[in-house]
Amino acid sequence: MKLKHILFVFLMLLLVAGCKNDMETIELANWEFQYNDQWYPAKVPGCIHTDLMAQGLIPDPFYGTNEDSVQWVGKQAWKYRTTITRDMWEGFEHCDLVLDGATYCDVWLSGESFGTKFQTRVMTIDNMFRKYRVCLFDVLLDNKELPDLGDEATLEITFYPIEQNNEDHFATEVCEEDGYPWPDMDYDLPDHRAMSRMAPYMLGWDWGPKLSTVGVLGSARLECYNDDLPEKPVTKPKSWGVTLRQEQDSIGQSFTFYRNGKPLFVKGANWIPVHSFPVLDSANRARYRHLLTSAKQANFNMLRVWGGGIYEPDYFFDLCDSLGLMVWVDFNFSCALYPSDSAFLANVKEEAEQQVRRISKHPCVVLWCGNNEVKNGWEDWGWQEQYKWTPAQCETLKHGIDTLFGKNGILAHAVKQYDPLQRPYITTSPLFGWGHPECVTHGDSHYWGVWWGEQPFEMYKEKTGRFMSEYGFQSYPDYSTVCRFCPEDQRTIDSPTMKNHQKHGRGREIIDKAMQQYYGVDSRSLSLEDYCYVSQLLQAWGTGYGILCHRLAQPHCMGTLYWQLNDCWPVASWSSIDCYGNWKALHYRARDLFADTVDLSRWEKYYKTYPKNLHLPNARYNLSHHMEKGTLVVELKAQSNLRDVMLQTEPHVDGHFDLNYFDLPAGSSVQVRFIPADPKAKLSRTNVTLKCLNQVLNH
């Protein structure tokens, strides 16, 4: 045995002899990232885009058309490093490196000990949705030529890009240098995002930017302990008494939630990640709090966490637990077919087990779902014809779908084994696509005939299914939000910036068509400010009508979750709250229609007359405001009938009024309070302005 090995063994014996009796967790700090051969300060948790922005090396990707100019960031490898020192691990038998939420990377340890320089690969990470752990002492023992860690060592992470500079359906490998080869398949898959375990939305969606980022989005830490790794006790969460019944009946197959044995009508929306860079920092924590309290204030009782984003952090579920909001959780698979080789399935198995163990601690979870629209895509999106799969290849793909998502598949098994409450699991959402007659008779439904099919809103009444888990209509965000991302010289609806912030290929045309049909407005006659306003009225009108139809259809329909609650950046989208926390008209409409005491007959009467057929007088009113106990209070007296009153703060403050987008008859008055998104916002110098439909239609 070499002298250095003898010294190493002796050192380890001394280390064990002096072991402490407790466990210590050390969050690794003082990170740096490399750019053009220079090292700059970095944040972990964090990502390369935010680090580059913090150093002034790239512009804000949300502003103007900057998204296009930063695409190079996601197409190259990046290095991060920090230092670990002897005092972090000394006195413990074990020193584990734990990385949570890291994107594709290799982790290296290097340093000098006993005069010998060393470098060794500690771990390889190929799944953003898994927690990775390795004992650094075991790495030393496994490498017979490696001395101990010395007094300090450098921990370096090399992150690899998922996308390469090609236009193929998917890249053949992640990185040509060290390489993460994709499975060896003799057929193409429809979407390259399915080949990696990265958050799919980061590579672009019809409401989100293409900002493929890398970094440690969760935690990077050392866990030092003695003996075996201490196991956290598994505490069975207190059940909320919510169950799902899917029963065959004279119509088809029901989809009804019950609470304590009584049928429950579900009200809410779909949830996407709160930001394009989903790091749980103070800003995103504030977004979580604001969005979830806004959902509660709008009388929601459920949110569906959509399967193309992320597995939400415990912070999200803690808030839902405290607010009494039920949560439907999709596993992270959406709109694609996935590999079925053994390595991929083993990777996903570990992912599912980790996530179920973590998330199932929360009583708010009432349903697990295998994926979003995979069955729908397989049956209805023309993949089989487009990719010309052979019968044998089709059989392989179908077997892969069942192995991963089926009732006895990997995901179902994870729920059965690791959810202590054995909450229900469904294989896919929806059960049938909107082109099938069964979409209104069997299971949950994503009805996209309105919007994608450009059908009128009245189709919501005819196409009400057993549980409406997706439907909706786009609008543009508040003009105040537009002014924050759009340069002043581009504030027209067809400018490059406004086109960049409309990610649906036909979005503008679909909105314009419906705006003409229901409001009688030629969009070309509107200023951008008025266009944003009327688009929100249109969204509230149409999606609100869908909610009304679903509520009126009880017990045939027992749930309505519109698409979508929130945004991950400033954009034209289906959201009812924009990315800065401003309530759109739809959120106020949802609050009214979701109320337990809602008068549905009044709303039926409301929807009998199109806005374009209203004969509105010129708007006449008195508007004033004052501060009362630190709160901005607005008083409005209508001298003529006012339609769709929108109150705004000037200068703009993110938040919402407790009443907005409302009608006020002549001779009536109302007092309204403003609720800022930031409770510490200063309002003493804030003015209030008013816009209403009378002004737009009579312009």
Side-chain angles (χ1 to χ4, degrees):
M1 182 179 288
K2 295 181 180 179
L3 177 60
K4 66 179 182 181
H5 292 153
I6 296 173
L7 290 172
F8 172 66
V9 172
F10 179 72
L11 180 63
M12 292 298 292
L13 290 172
L14 288 176
L15 186 63
V16 172
C19 277
K20 303 174 184 177
N21 294 319
D22 54 359
M23 178 174 175
E24 186 172 353
T25 298
I26 302 168
E27 295 292 336
L28 296 177
N30 301 317
W31 288 87
E32 298 176 305
F33 74 96
Q34 188 180 43
Y35 174 64
N36 283 350
D37 297 324
Q38 295 186 47
W39 290 92
Y40 297 87
K43 284 189 177 181
V44 172
C47 66
I48 187 59
H49 284 82
T50 52
D51 286 333
L52 287 166
M53 277 190 285
Q55 299 302 315
L57 299 172
I58 62 169
D60 180 357
F62 290 3
Y63 188 77
T65 59
N66 288 344
E67 177 199 357
D68 297 335
S69 68
V70 300
Q71 288 305 304
W72 62 272
V73 176
K75 292 183 166 99
Q76 68 179 57
W78 294 92
K79 290 185 178 181
Y80 279 64
R81 72 182 182 188
T82 190
T83 300
I84 60 175
T85 57
R86 179 178 295 280
D87 62 291
M88 294 179 177
W89 66 76
E90 197 165 38
F92 290 98
E93 290 184 56
H94 303 277
C95 178
D96 288 4
L97 172 65
V98 182
L99 295 176
D100 195 5
T103 51
Y104 277 60
C105 62
D106 283 325
V107 183
W108 298 84
L109 198 63
S110 61
E112 182 174 335
S113 182
F114 299 108
T116 302
K117 293 184 178 180
F118 66 88
Q119 183 180 45
T120 186
R121 180 156 34 192
V122 173
M123 69 170 84
T124 292
I125 291 177
D126 62 356
N127 190 330
M128 173 183 167
F129 305 126
R130 283 176 52 187
K131 180 187 296 183
Y132 287 78
R133 175 188 296 273
V134 66
C135 180
L136 297 183
F137 295 164
D138 289 345
V139 172
L140 299 179
L141 291 172
D142 289 342
N143 192 328
K144 295 182 174 54
E145 297 300 319
L146 189 65
D148 81 327
L149 291 174
D151 291 328
E152 67 176 33
T154 298
L155 187 70
E156 185 172 284
I157 307 178
T158 301
F159 293 100
Y160 299 111
I162 293 302
E163 282 206 308
Q164 300 300 302
N165 295 297
N166 64 61
E167 300 299 326
D168 296 333
H169 300 304
F170 49 82
T172 56
E173 58 180 29
V174 178
C175 178
E176 295 179 359
E177 182 180 352
D178 287 76
Y180 290 99
W182 298 132
D184 184 15
M185 302 184 302
D186 62 353
Y187 51 85
D188 285 345
L189 294 182
D191 193 329
H192 70 279
R193 286 176 287 204
M195 305 299 292
S196 68
R197 296 311 295 149
M198 285 277 291
Y201 84 107
M202 290 181 175
L203 293 172
W205 219 267
D206 55 7
W207 39 257
K210 182 179 178 181
L211 293 170
S212 175
T213 199
V214 299
V216 181
L217 297 166
S219 175
R221 61 188 184 272
L222 296 181
E223 291 186 359
C224 306
Y225 56 94
N226 300 318
D227 302 319
D228 294 328
L229 180 66
E231 289 191 13
K232 295 181 180 178
V234 177
T235 303
K236 187 175 182 178
K238 184 178 179 180
S239 173
W240 284 2
V242 178
T243 58
L244 173 66
R245 298 183 192 175
Q246 299 180 85
E247 300 170 329
Q248 300 298 317
D249 56 23
S250 60
I251 303 170
Q253 179 178 305
S254 67
F255 196 101
T256 304
F257 286 91
Y258 285 74
R259 174 177 280 165
N260 298 324
K262 297 180 180 180
L264 174 68
F265 188 82
V266 169
K267 305 170 295 183
N270 287 261
W271 174 277
I272 67 168
V274 299
H275 200 277
S276 291
F277 309 126
V279 178
L280 193 58
D281 56 15
S282 59
N284 279 341
R285 286 176 185 267
R287 291 186 179 98
Y288 277 110
R289 291 193 299 271
H290 176 68
L291 287 167
L292 292 173
T293 55
S294 294
K296 187 68 174 180
Q297 289 165 356
N299 301 306
F300 284 32
N301 59 20
M302 181 182 284
L303 289 166
R304 172 185 176 233
V305 178
W306 169 74
I310 62 173
Y311 294 99
E312 290 297 335
D314 285 326
Y315 189 73
F316 166 86
F317 293 103
D318 286 337
L319 288 170
C320 290
D321 288 341
S322 66
L323 291 167
L325 287 168
M326 297 180 290
V327 180
W328 161 335
V329 178
D330 279 3
F331 283 93
N332 221 280
F333 302 89
S334 184
C335 302
L337 296 178
Y338 293 83
S340 57
D341 63 288
S342 59
F344 184 88
L345 295 178
N347 196 352
V348 167
K349 179 177 182 292
E350 180 62 28
E351 166 193 323
E353 291 175 356
Q354 286 187 12
Q355 295 294 348
V356 172
R357 282 195 298 263
R358 178 180 67 86
I359 295 171
S360 65
K361 298 179 300 185
H362 299 277
C364 63
V365 176
V366 297
L367 180 66
W368 301 95
C369 177
N371 65 73
N372 173 77
E373 297 184 352
V374 170
K375 177 177 181 286
N376 188 186
W378 172 257
E379 294 176 345
D380 303 324
W381 295 355
W383 290 338
Q384 299 179 48
E385 294 79 14
Q386 181 180 354
Y387 296 102
K388 296 180 172 36
W389 295 317
T390 66
Q393 290 169 341
C394 286
E395 191 61 34
T396 297
L397 288 164
K398 285 191 289 186
H399 177 73
I401 292 172
D402 190 58
T403 300
L404 189 52
F405 306 118
K407 292 181 179 179
N408 297 307
I410 289 172
L411 304 182
H413 181 75
V415 171
K416 184 177 181 180
Q417 187 168 1
Y418 295 106
D419 183 347
L421 294 181
Q422 294 289 286
R423 282 161 283 201
Y425 168 83
I426 60 173
T427 61
T428 189
S429 178
L431 188 57
F432 290 97
W434 60 270
H436 296 257
E438 293 91 343
C439 78
V440 297
T441 59
H442 290 70
D444 75 306
S445 176
H446 296 188
Y447 189 69
W448 287 109
V450 176
W451 184 260
W452 281 96
E454 299 188 33
Q455 296 172 346
F457 297 135
E458 285 74 15
M459 288 298 291
Y460 282 135
K461 185 174 184 179
E462 182 179 337
K463 297 291 187 179
T464 293
R466 311 304 298 271
F467 188 103
M468 303 303 294
S469 50
E470 274 193 31
Y471 63 95
F473 198 86
Q474 267 198 3
S475 72
Y476 281 73
D478 279 4
Y479 186 65
S480 62
T481 294
V482 170
C483 292
R484 288 159 80 165
F485 71 77
C486 186
E488 188 171 0
D489 62 355
Q490 291 198 43
R491 291 175 191 167
T492 60
I493 192 62
D494 287 323
S495 71
T497 290
M498 293 305 296
K499 287 182 176 179
N500 179 256
H501 289 253
Q502 165 58 275
K503 293 300 185 183
H504 189 281
R506 292 183 288 122
R508 168 80 194 287
E509 290 75 15
I510 294 172
I511 292 172
D512 287 359
K513 176 182 174 182
M515 194 179 287
Q516 181 72 55
Q517 179 176 354
Y518 292 92
Y519 283 80
V521 172
D522 183 345
S523 66
R524 293 171 296 181
S525 68
L526 299 178
S527 66
L528 180 56
E529 182 176 1
D530 283 349
Y531 186 93
C532 292
Y533 166 69
V534 178
S535 77
Q536 289 196 26
L537 300 184
L538 177 66
Q539 180 193 35
W541 174 274
T543 307
Y545 182 70
I547 295 172
L548 175 64
C549 292
H550 303 158
R551 295 213 67 172
L552 289 169
Q554 298 178 62
H556 170 90
C557 175
M558 287 302 292
T560 180
L561 302 174
Y562 64 81
W563 184 271
Q564 66 210 59
L565 175 67
N566 58 309
D567 285 326
C568 67
W569 78 314
V571 68
S573 82
W574 296 261
S575 70
S576 62
I577 303 178
D578 75 23
C579 79
Y580 297 120
N582 301 297
W583 288 22
K584 295 183 181 179
L586 172 57
H587 207 73
Y588 294 94
R589 181 63 50 86
R591 181 180 65 178
D592 292 342
L593 289 166
F594 282 164
D596 291 336
T597 58
V598 62
D599 182 354
L600 295 178
S601 62
R602 182 182 80 82
W603 284 102
E604 284 186 280
K605 181 178 179 181
Y606 175 89
Y607 274 103
K608 285 183 186 239
T609 304
Y610 283 5
K612 70 178 182 181
N613 295 327
L614 297 170
H615 299 288
L616 298 176
N618 290 329
R620 293 182 294 113
Y621 56 87
N622 291 325
L623 180 69
S624 62
H625 66 277
H626 64 276
M627 295 297 298
E628 183 178 297
K629 296 180 180 179
T631 301
L632 182 65
V633 179
V634 181
E635 293 183 346
L636 173 63
K637 297 180 180 179
Q639 298 172 350
S640 64
N641 291 335
L642 302 179
R643 178 75 178 215
D644 291 316
V645 171
M646 180 184 72
L647 299 174
Q648 304 173 87
T649 53
E650 181 63 42
H652 176 75
V653 178
D654 291 331
H656 68 279
F657 291 89
D658 60 4
L659 179 67
N660 212 353
Y661 295 93
F662 58 92
D663 299 339
L664 194 64
S668 300
S669 63
V670 67
Q671 190 175 85
V672 183
R673 293 177 181 271
F674 179 71
I675 304 168
D678 180 0
K680 298 179 181 178
K682 295 182 180 180
L683 304 174
S684 58
R685 297 185 179 180
T686 303
N687 197 4
V688 177
T689 61
L690 180 150
K691 185 185 291 291
C692 62
L693 189 60
N694 310 53
Q695 298 163 340
V696 175
L697 295 185
N698 294 339
H699 178 67

